[in-house]
């Protein structure tokens, strides 16, 4: 994965974690890893009292987690025309979540 894209995703996830008051130590994690993104999304779901769905730790597996978070904020986001295997879709959903937090 492109380092700049991974840094952008981590920055967005870290902002959301901090805004929810979640302490998350990623110092021992690979910051360009999909596993790291899933762990952070899982921590956000826990902060929202959501059940963590059983999904593959790939890009497509992030989609239902992010959709749950968007819905948990009362926001709407139609991803029916977006590629679930695209990192761009992940970034668009994170942008929606950041907007919900006033970023």
């Amino acid at each position: 994965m492109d380092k700049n894209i991974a840094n952008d995703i981590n920055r967005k996830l870290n902002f959301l974690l901090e805004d929810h008051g979640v302490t998350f130590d990623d110092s021992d994690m690979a910051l360009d890893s999909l596993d790291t993104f899933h762990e952070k999304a899982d921590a956000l779901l826990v902060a929202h009292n959501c059940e963590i769905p059983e999904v593959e730790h790939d890009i497509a597996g992030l989609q239902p987690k992010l959709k749950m978070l968007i819905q948990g904020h009362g926001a709407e986001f139609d991803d029916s025309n977006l590629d679930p295997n695209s990192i761009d879709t992940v970034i668009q959903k994170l942008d929606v979540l950041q907007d919900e937090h006033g970023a």
Side-chain angles (χ1 to χ4, degrees), residues 1-3 13 16 18 31 33 74 77-78 84-86 90:
M1 176 178 302
D2 180 83
K3 186 176 181 172
L13 287 166
L16 293 167
E18 184 177 314
L31 297 180
S33 167
F77 182 77
D78 181 12
N85 294 305
S86 171
V90 169

Side-chain angles (χ1 to χ4, degrees), residues 39-89:
E39 292 293 326
K40 290 180 177 184
D42 291 351
L44 287 166
L45 287 167
V46 169
H48 279 267
N49 296 315
C50 294
E51 187 172 324
I52 299 170
E54 292 285 328
V55 296
E56 294 293 324
H57 278 206
D58 56 12
I59 292 171
L62 281 169
Q63 306 303 343
K65 293 178 179 185
L66 296 174
K67 185 172 185 171
M68 289 172 68
L69 291 167
I70 289 169
Q71 291 171 338
H73 284 88
E76 293 183 23
F77 182 77
D78 181 12
D79 62 359
S80 61
N81 62 337
L82 300 175
D83 181 359
N85 294 305
S86 171
I87 201 71
D88 290 332
T89 304

